Amino acid sequence: MTADASDAVEIRNALLRLRRTTGLPVAFGALMEAGRQMRISELSGTATHALRSLVVTSGNGLGGKTVVLARPCVVTDYSASRQISHEYDAPVAVEGLRSVLAVPVVVRHAVRGVLYGALRTAQPLGGRMLDEAVEAARDVERALVLREEARTLAAGGGAGAGREQVREAHAALRALAPKIADPGLRAELLDACALLTADATPSERVRLAPREVDVLACVAAGATNAVAAERLGVAPETVKGYLRSAMRKLRAGTRGEAVAAARRAGWLP
């Protein structure tokens, strides 16, 4: 899949996290393009422009090796390493990098990009540093998966998947949104949820709190209070409280009536 501007933002955010959590002074990232190539698109902490827009081919250099193996790779002294090919020694030397780690971003079994972290001295990189770099890559992977699913749902609506599947997806996305730390991605996910309810009649809208909508979405997908509580990460009594409040606002006497009223009001697909 071709990378877009929003994918680059995820790489950029991950590089900031990588530097913050590992203490590595330099980080940069590449996204996969057609022909199994990557283009270094995001730089953080670099002193020159030597790496900007550098095209890395699958199998070449540290990053290319990471793409082929689909696992993290590390070199203690880049220019002297016998474990990689050396097509990119010149720009690496201009930037003054010695110890470098590379971690793949893997989505649905395909490498979508690579995150790099580096030191300007030759010393081992591993343990906590490598673990933190892997976690930064996992953040990107989760963000890309969620964005792709949200786009697919928003574009396809209920035409292909069927209305019940759309409702289940809506409930799952609503339950997942509060767990996402990145406010931009969380907002984007909730916007996609709103697109799934775009065919509702706005004249009958009622003011519901976000958690009331979350609970109703779970109920609409067939979840019991206990299951809804597990999905949302709250206690069953909390779910009951939100449900009672939503039913009161919707003037509903039963769970089913509340779901139907919420759909009429445009809160659920």
Side-chain angles (χ1 to χ4, degrees):
M1 181 175 291
T2 302
D4 61 19
S6 56
D7 294 346
V9 170
E10 298 302 338
I11 293 288
R12 191 176 310 141
N13 291 338
L15 296 180
L16 293 175
R17 168 181 172 167
L18 190 156
R19 289 184 64 201
R20 184 179 68 253
T21 58
T22 64
L24 292 173
V26 179
F28 47 102
L31 295 165
M32 296 303 300
E33 298 180 343
R36 300 298 291 169
Q37 292 183 330
M38 301 181 294
R39 186 180 301 274
I40 305 295
S41 58
E42 304 299 326
L43 307 173
S44 182
T46 51
T48 73
H49 297 293
L51 298 174
R52 185 173 296 280
S53 298
L54 179 68
V55 176
V56 178
T57 304
S58 178
N60 293 342
L62 182 66
K65 179 179 179 180
T66 298
V67 172
V68 170
L69 298 179
R71 62 173 175 79
C73 296
V74 181
V75 293
T76 301
D77 190 341
Y78 190 97
S79 63
S81 176
R82 297 182 179 180
Q83 301 176 14
I84 60 172
S85 60
H86 290 276
E87 291 83 357
Y88 315 111
D89 281 8
V92 171
V94 169
E95 184 58 40
L97 304 181
R98 301 287 297 280
S99 296
V100 186
L101 60 80
V103 179
V105 175
V106 183
V107 177
R108 296 190 175 92
H109 308 293
V111 176
R112 289 279 299 276
V114 174
L115 303 183
Y116 299 81
L119 288 169
R120 293 189 170 90
T121 56
Q123 62 187 70
L125 297 178
R128 185 187 65 83
M129 283 187 179
L130 189 57
D131 290 343
E132 292 291 352
V134 168
E135 282 305 307
R138 297 298 87 83
D139 278 353
V140 179
E141 292 168 0
R142 287 188 286 266
L144 296 186
V145 168
L146 288 172
R147 180 173 283 115
E148 289 175 7
E149 291 181 350
R151 286 172 182 160
T152 299
L153 288 168
R163 203 60 177 170
E164 288 307 312
Q165 287 177 298
V166 171
R167 288 167 178 167
E168 290 175 5
H170 178 266
L173 292 172
R174 291 278 327 182
L176 185 60
K179 303 174 184 177
I180 297 175
D182 186 317
L185 178 58
R186 185 167 61 248
E188 188 174 342
L189 195 63
L190 291 174
D191 286 345
C193 287
L195 289 175
L196 296 177
T197 63
D199 60 346
T201 305
S203 60
E204 297 184 38
R205 288 189 181 277
V206 184
R207 301 296 297 179
L208 294 177
R211 271 311 204 188
E212 292 169 349
V213 179
D214 294 341
V215 168
L216 286 172
C218 289
V219 171
T224 63
N225 287 350
V227 171
E230 183 177 354
R231 288 182 183 175
L232 299 175
V234 298
E237 288 301 319
T238 303
V239 168
K240 291 179 183 178
Y242 284 127
L243 185 56
R244 283 194 298 266
S245 176
M247 289 171 64
R248 183 174 62 255
K249 292 178 180 180
L250 294 164
R251 298 181 181 180
T254 66
R255 294 158 60 95
E257 289 175 4
V259 168
R263 285 174 179 157
R264 289 194 300 271
W267 289 104
L268 299 177

